[in-house]
Amino acid sequence: MQNDIKLTKEEKSQIAALESLIADLDTHIARGGPAAEGVELSKAVARGHISAIHSAARWR
């Protein structure tokens, strides 16, 4: 259903940056980086921001 949402260029840019952050955090975990719990929390926050962007676009 999210594919039907019209996103602005700014929203698309924000989502791309958040997805890149999530990928970087996954790499950090895969390499055995410290503070895995904090990293997982950061990933959850980033996913929440992506969801919020989609929700805001849906209600425009």
Side-chain angles (χ1 to χ4, degrees), residues 1-58:
M1 181 159 157
Q2 290 182 350
N3 292 337
D4 299 338
I5 300 170
K6 287 284 195 175
L7 298 171
T8 66
K9 286 182 182 180
E10 179 65 24
E11 290 166 335
K12 289 177 184 177
S13 175
Q14 290 172 356
I15 289 171
L18 289 165
E19 288 173 342
S20 176
L21 172 64
I22 292 168
D24 289 346
L25 293 171
D26 283 336
T27 300
H28 174 78
I29 292 170
R31 291 182 178 165
E37 288 179 12
V39 172
E40 288 299 328
L41 178 59
S42 295
K43 286 172 49 180
V45 170
R47 286 186 192 107
H49 284 298
I50 291 170
S51 179
I53 291 168
H54 282 127
S55 292
R58 191 177 305 122

